[in-house]
């Protein structure tokens, strides 16, 4: 099992770079960041610094979207980083939540997302692709490689990930839901004539190593609120009891009142009081090291290839070090 670190690009950027270097020293192979131009600093600028100051770490957004930047610009940015540092980027992509809504736009459609996945990958790897009716090619790309991993929750999005993406990003660590969603992605891959095992499975969630579960839950409760945004979209699209989305995912958002993106992904988010302890425990990895190892082994047995640690809490260095010293060696 591989491991990644997920951060927000809060200033100063030097702190983000330093934490990514710390992660690489501790055996992490991936460095991810949020991508929302209004809420945080521009991640692609910071990726260049991370890549310059690491040797093996692969970097990318968790996640970008097809609407914030034109597709040829996204592809060219990835391809430039790969040309400079040797194919060490990965494109995490989704419909767009905070990046689009904060700017007053709706998330992209799945049709647009599916088209973007192919176009961005083709252009970044040096092939021709059509953008807005115009055939384009980046003539300077040589031996480019850009895996595109798609974030998804709902049935249609899971199907699209299986059909077109190189990897699937699931932003929660509940074994029951993980199993359900992996099966959906792999079935879609098989139905599309692809090898289901070729789709990399990445689970991303907060991890907090501590014997003080109450404090750990308070530091990670924001995550249930963030996931709740996507669940609310699913409920509005499919209905509360449609049978298309597990009630284990939809039940907890009934008390959800609203959401302020100025606190998005932060431990002090005041809009997450509706998230019960049970959901925090199910979606996140909390407790002593042994509890993390046990849950990660269960996820690995379900087919998870990478666990990406959301470190938006008051113990970032401690969790990176604890994973490097004890968790990663146990799962390697």
């Amino acid at each position: 099992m591989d491991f990644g670190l997920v951060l927000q690009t809060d200033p100063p950027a030097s702190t983000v770079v330093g934490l990514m270097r710390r992660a690489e020293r501790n055996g992490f192979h991936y460095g991810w960041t949020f991508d929302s131009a209004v809420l945080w600093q521009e991640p692609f600028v910071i990726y260049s610094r991370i890549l310059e100051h690491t040797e093996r770490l692969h970097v990318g957004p968790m996640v970008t979207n097809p609407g914030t930047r034109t597709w040829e610009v996204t592809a060219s940015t990835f391809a430039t980083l790969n040309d400079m540092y040797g194919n060490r980027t990965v494109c995490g992509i989704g419909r767009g939540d905070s990046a689009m809504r904060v700017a007053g736009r709706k998330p992209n459609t799945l049709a647009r997302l599916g088209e973007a996945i192919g176009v961005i990958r083709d252009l970044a790897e040096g092939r021709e692709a059509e953008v807005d009716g115009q055939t384009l090619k980046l003539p300077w790309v040589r031996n480019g490689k850009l895996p595109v991993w798609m974030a998804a929750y709902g049935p249609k999005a899971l199907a699209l990930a299986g059909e077109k993406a190189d990897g699937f990003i699931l932003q929660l660590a509940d074994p029951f839901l993980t199993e359900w969603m992996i099966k959906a992605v792999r079935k879609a891959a098989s139905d599309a004539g692809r090898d289901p095992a070729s789709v990399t499975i990445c689970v991303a969630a907060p991890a907090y190593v501590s014997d003080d579960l109450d404090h750990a839950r308070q530091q990670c409760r924001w995550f249930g609120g963030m996931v709740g945004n996507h669940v609310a979209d699913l409920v509005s699209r499919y209905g509360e009891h449609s049978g298309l989305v597990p009630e284990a995912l939809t039940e907890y958002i009934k008390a959800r009142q609203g959401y302020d993106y100025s606190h998005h992904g932060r431990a002090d988010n005041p809009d997450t009081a509706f998230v019960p302890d049970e959901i925090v425990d199910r979606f996140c990895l909390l407790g002593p090291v042994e509890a993390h190892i046990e849950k990660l082994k269960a996820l690995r047995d379900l087919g998870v290839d990478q666990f990406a640690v959301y470190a938006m809490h008051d113990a970032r260095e401690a969790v990176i070090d604890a994973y490097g010293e004890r968790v990663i060696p146990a799962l390697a």
Side-chain angles (χ1 to χ4, degrees):
M1 178 182 273
D2 267 335
F3 287 84
L5 177 68
V6 189
L7 299 173
Q8 294 170 337
T9 51
D10 290 314
S14 58
T15 298
V16 179
V17 175
L19 289 168
M20 291 299 186
R21 295 180 68 188
R22 189 183 195 117
E24 183 181 60
R25 290 195 301 270
N26 276 283
F28 289 75
H29 291 159
Y30 286 80
W32 302 93
T33 74
F34 282 38
D35 178 17
S36 189
V38 174
L39 297 177
W40 301 288
Q41 292 186 330
E42 173 54 41
F44 286 93
V45 176
I46 299 172
Y47 295 156
S48 188
R49 294 288 289 175
I50 295 170
L51 289 166
E52 181 181 7
H53 289 284
T54 57
E55 296 179 359
R56 301 171 303 280
L57 203 68
H58 287 67
V59 304
M62 190 177 280
V63 293
T64 192
N65 71 86
T68 303
R69 303 172 182 83
T70 59
W71 301 349
E72 71 273 17
V73 170
T74 298
S76 180
T77 305
F78 277 112
T80 301
L81 291 171
N82 283 336
D83 187 66
M84 293 172 68
Y85 300 105
N87 287 339
R88 289 168 54 202
T89 67
V90 55
C91 177
I93 195 168
R95 294 176 62 231
D97 180 31
S98 62
M100 298 296 286
R101 288 189 166 114
V102 166
R105 307 183 186 105
K106 293 181 179 180
N108 297 270
T109 65
L110 287 175
R112 179 174 171 82
L113 175 57
E115 185 181 358
I117 287 173
V119 168
I120 291 169
R121 181 171 50 212
D122 283 344
L123 290 175
E125 295 185 348
R127 295 184 293 276
E128 287 186 350
E130 188 171 298
V131 181
D132 297 330
Q134 182 74 27
T135 299
L136 302 178
K137 183 179 181 180
L138 304 181
W140 48 268
V141 173
R142 298 289 183 272
N143 302 314
K145 185 67 178 176
L146 182 67
V148 181
W149 297 6
M150 179 182 156
Y153 291 107
K156 292 182 180 178
L158 293 169
L160 180 61
E163 292 164 5
K164 295 197 173 185
D166 301 299
F168 163 51
I169 297 172
L170 173 58
Q171 291 163 311
L172 55 79
D174 175 67
F176 171 79
L177 292 169
T178 298
E179 181 177 21
W180 183 83
M181 294 187 187
I182 288 175
K183 285 181 178 178
V185 169
R186 286 182 168 164
K187 181 180 184 303
S190 179
D191 290 347
R194 304 178 66 196
D195 177 5
S198 69
V199 182
T200 302
I201 306 296
C202 175
V203 161
Y208 199 102
V209 179
S210 174
D211 291 326
D212 186 347
L213 281 178
D214 288 339
H215 181 73
R217 287 173 181 138
Q218 287 307 110
Q219 286 293 306
C220 299
R221 198 175 304 276
W222 63 267
F223 185 66
M226 187 183 84
V227 174
N229 292 334
H230 303 288
V231 176
D233 282 347
L234 295 178
V235 170
S236 66
R237 188 175 300 116
Y238 297 107
E240 188 175 339
H241 302 291
S242 64
L244 297 174
V245 182
E247 291 193 17
L249 183 59
T250 62
E251 185 69 21
Y252 83 99
I253 68 162
K254 289 181 177 179
R256 181 178 182 269
Q257 297 298 316
Y259 194 81
D260 181 352
Y261 280 93
S262 66
H263 303 283
H264 188 59
R266 300 191 184 277
D268 61 355
N269 192 327
D271 297 323
T272 58
F274 72 93
V275 181
D277 287 351
E278 177 193 3
I279 288 294
V280 182
D281 292 347
R282 287 175 59 180
F283 285 11
C284 305
L285 274 76
L286 311 175
V289 163
E290 293 76 16
H292 291 245
I293 293 173
E294 180 182 2
K295 191 167 186 177
L296 286 168
K297 285 183 176 179
L299 292 171
R300 183 181 62 182
D301 291 345
L302 294 174
V304 175
D305 299 298
Q306 180 185 150
F307 177 63
V309 176
Y310 276 104
M312 277 65 79
H313 49 56
D314 63 3
R316 296 183 297 184
E317 293 86 353
V319 76
I320 292 169
D321 292 346
Y323 265 63
E325 292 167 8
R326 298 183 59 188
V327 178
I328 292 175
L331 275 295

